[in-house]
Amino acid sequence: MAGAYWRGDADRQMLTRIYGTAFLSKEDLEEHLRRLEQARERDHRKLGRELDLFLLSDVSPGMPFWLPNGTHVWNELTSLWRRRT
């Protein structure tokens, strides 16, 4: 759900936007839910924390603070990229 004021005027009534998803069959819904769960398992924020690659902080949202393991991976990828170009 999301809301917005008509023509951006806060004195007017708030409009509500409702999002939805439809599926042709129960199997399609189950497949969609399975893929969502897989995506949660592969979330980069979760993996970064579990593998000690980086940490995220409220001090600088969206900016990873590289930990030693993450710096090693970054350096290896950079070396590979330089060799390939």
Side-chain angles (χ1 to χ4, degrees):
M1 262 178 66
Y5 293 108
W6 176 251
R7 298 191 178 195
D9 184 354
D11 294 329
R12 294 180 182 242
Q13 182 178 1
M14 182 174 274
L15 305 172
T16 303
R17 181 179 296 133
I18 300 173
Y19 299 93
T21 306
F23 300 93
L24 296 175
S25 67
K26 185 163 181 71
E27 290 78 25
D28 290 343
L29 169 61
E30 290 169 359
E31 176 66 16
H32 175 72
L33 294 174
R34 186 183 66 77
R35 288 184 182 191
L36 287 177
E37 183 58 35
Q38 285 179 344
R40 275 188 219 98
E41 290 297 315
R42 293 188 304 258
D43 187 298
H44 68 280
R45 295 165 295 193
K46 178 181 179 225
L47 292 174
R49 184 175 52 249
E50 289 175 357
L51 299 173
D52 291 326
L53 299 176
F54 58 85
L55 60 90
L56 300 173
S57 171
D58 293 336
V59 173
S60 181
M63 175 67 185
F65 291 94
W66 295 104
L67 300 172
N69 290 345
T71 302
H72 180 74
V73 171
W74 177 267
N75 290 336
E76 288 296 320
L77 289 172
T78 302
S79 296
L80 174 66
W81 173 67
R82 288 179 178 158
R83 287 191 305 266
R84 307 267 308 172
T85 57

